[in-house]
Amino acid sequence: MRSDLTSRARIRDAALARFGADGVAGASVRAVAADAGVSPALVVHHFGSKEGLRRACDEFVLDAIRAGGSADAGELADVLHAATPVRRYLARALLDGTDAATALFGEIVVRTERWLAEGEAEGWVRPSADARARAVTYVSWQLAPLVLGDQVGRLLGGDPAGTGVAVRGARAGLEMLTGGLFTDDRWLAAFTAVAEETR
């Protein structure tokens, strides 16, 4: 419940939503405070500045990504429903293309690379010849529907940051990643040959 949140958490949640809608540059501390039902002075007290508030939002996003590793259906459903503001925030940050968004993307890739390496060690991720490229590509695939929001939403019938469309797209992607898309290796062989020629 919103009323159960601390004032700091209420402000952060309001900032996630406001930054997701207007971008960091387009949102004011006063607007975030009004959304959270607190004074602008309290926002400054907790976060120091709008930049401090943005950093807190980034850290919350990274924590949400870290917490999303469970394959338990009940836990996953809860995480996905709670993550809609996180997805909207990420979409806007990536579209704004700020230095902060670049750093956030890099941190997501680093954490994903670590997660996939752990999966390899545990046996539920196949080994890769290029672990960094795999992580970058995986993250890019996951975030592309958010960046292409209008187009994806038009074709899938809803907001890509909303749970329904996000789950539909993620399930299709995971179906390809788990079962494979192609029935032979012609494209893999062709691109492997090109990669070897360009070394």
Side-chain angles (χ1 to χ4, degrees):
M1 293 279 297
R2 184 180 175 84
S3 60
D4 294 334
L5 295 174
T6 65
S7 58
R8 182 180 173 85
R10 278 204 328 274
I11 294 165
R12 183 209 58 225
D13 286 358
L16 272 172
R18 177 64 65 173
F19 291 164
D22 300 340
V24 174
S28 67
V29 168
R30 186 172 298 282
V32 171
D35 293 346
V38 301
S39 70
L42 190 60
V43 176
V44 173
H45 169 75
H46 281 300
F47 298 98
S49 65
K50 186 166 73 169
E51 180 61 18
L53 185 53
R54 182 203 59 76
R55 285 194 300 269
C57 288
D58 284 358
E59 191 54 43
F60 183 78
V61 167
L62 293 170
D63 287 345
I65 289 167
R66 189 186 306 122
S70 172
D72 175 82
E75 289 179 30
L76 181 59
D78 290 343
V79 168
L80 288 169
H81 285 298
T84 297
V86 169
R87 288 190 290 268
R88 288 197 177 111
Y89 176 85
L90 259 176
R92 185 58 191 246
L94 293 169
L95 287 171
D96 286 350
T98 61
D99 290 343
T102 298
L104 181 60
F105 182 84
E107 181 65 21
I108 292 170
V109 168
V110 167
R111 292 182 187 212
T112 300
E113 188 172 3
R114 193 178 307 136
W115 174 66
L116 291 170
E118 289 167 1
E120 270 193 45
E122 293 169 8
W124 53 270
V125 172
R126 290 187 179 94
S128 172
D130 189 340
R132 170 48 62 100
R134 174 180 64 184
V136 171
T137 301
Y138 181 83
V139 170
S140 299
W141 283 352
Q142 293 291 313
L143 297 180
L146 298 176
V147 177
L148 297 169
D150 290 344
Q151 303 304 322
V152 171
R154 180 174 59 82
L155 295 173
L156 293 185
D159 177 4
T163 303
V165 173
V167 169
R168 183 179 178 192
R171 190 190 173 286
L174 289 166
E175 182 179 62
M176 288 189 286
L177 290 170
T178 303
L181 178 64
F182 302 118
T183 58
D184 61 48
D185 70 348
R186 72 186 75 182
W187 289 109
L188 177 59
F191 275 85
T192 299
V194 171
E196 288 171 356
E197 289 173 7
T198 56
R199 281 180 183 164

